[in-house]
Amino acid sequence: MSRQYYQRGHLVEAEELDGVVAVRMGTAAPEAEAELGSSALGEIHAAGIDDETTGAFARASWVFVRPNEQTREAFATGGEIPGAAAAGKVIRRPTAGSASRPTR
């Protein structure tokens, strides 16, 4: 889905990656990621987001998932996602290979 916003007075278009959620893992064990849904790295790379960017997110404990029903419902309602410290939509900005994770 295409989104628009203003940055420093200039209109910028960005693309929200539908069906993908960014989740910052809390103190849960690494295998807790699998309980959120399946990996969305394929969609992330298909959207043109490079390995350097995804690596930076990974080092900061963020994972990209195609949420399962439980995670999708919790995210949509603002509920708690088990094992997650934070979660948000994934937005691809027009500059090549960059992504951002805005708040809900």
Side-chain angles (χ1 to χ4, degrees):
M1 170 178 18
S2 182
R3 302 175 73 144
Q4 296 180 333
Y5 62 95
Y6 283 92
Q7 183 176 21
R8 296 186 182 131
H10 294 86
L11 182 64
V12 177
E13 291 197 33
E15 174 190 1
E16 178 181 334
L17 299 184
D18 294 325
V20 177
V21 175
V23 179
R24 183 168 177 257
M25 300 304 292
T27 58
E31 58 271 8
E33 175 185 345
E35 296 176 16
L36 302 173
S38 58
S39 174
L41 279 179
E43 287 90 335
I44 295 295
H45 288 129
I49 299 171
D50 60 30
D51 289 334
E52 182 179 344
T53 301
T54 57
F57 276 94
R59 287 188 299 278
S61 300
W62 286 93
V63 295
F64 300 102
V65 298
R66 286 180 299 224
N68 59 26
E69 186 175 334
Q70 178 184 0
T71 303
R72 188 178 314 109
E73 184 176 320
F75 180 72
T77 62
E80 182 178 332
I81 298 174
K89 298 175 182 178
V90 178
I91 306 296
R92 183 183 170 278
R93 296 183 301 200
T95 54
S98 65
S100 63
R101 191 237 24 109
T103 58
R104 291 188 208 198

